[in-house]
Amino acid sequence: MEVFNSIGLITEAQLAQMMKVEESTCRAWRYRGMAPAWSKVGNQILYRVKDVEVFIAERTRPGGTAQLKGIL
């Protein structure tokens, strides 16, 4: 996993931890086409940190409060 982190990728487990949701929620977002862009390498689902940052930024409201529009 450290190799993935060194090139700017995180696992689905790391995304879930970062977003403070269950991994199953990340899987549901992916299934519904609502997750950040992702890649599958072997049996690992990976997300680029830059794509996660965009995902969060797109859901940021004026005033600094984030909303996960239509996701939760």
Side-chain angles (χ1 to χ4, degrees):
M1 308 285 183
E2 210 169 296
V3 171
F4 295 140
N5 292 337
S6 70
I7 58 173
L9 298 171
I10 59 172
T11 65
E12 196 154 67
Q14 291 170 313
L15 176 66
Q17 184 178 19
M18 179 186 299
M19 301 296 290
K20 298 188 185 326
V21 298
E22 298 293 325
E23 280 185 67
S24 61
T25 300
C26 294
R27 284 192 298 274
W29 291 347
R30 199 166 27 88
Y31 177 77
R32 294 178 185 146
M34 302 165 79
W38 56 277
S39 298
K40 187 169 186 176
V41 177
N43 64 351
Q44 287 283 331
I45 301 298
L46 301 171
Y47 299 87
R48 290 188 313 177
V49 173
K50 289 180 182 183
D51 292 330
V52 174
E53 290 170 348
V54 168
F55 178 79
I56 293 168
E58 288 174 345
R59 286 155 182 81
T60 300
R61 294 181 180 181
T65 58
Q67 175 193 23
L68 295 175
K69 296 186 278 191
I71 292 181
L72 298 178

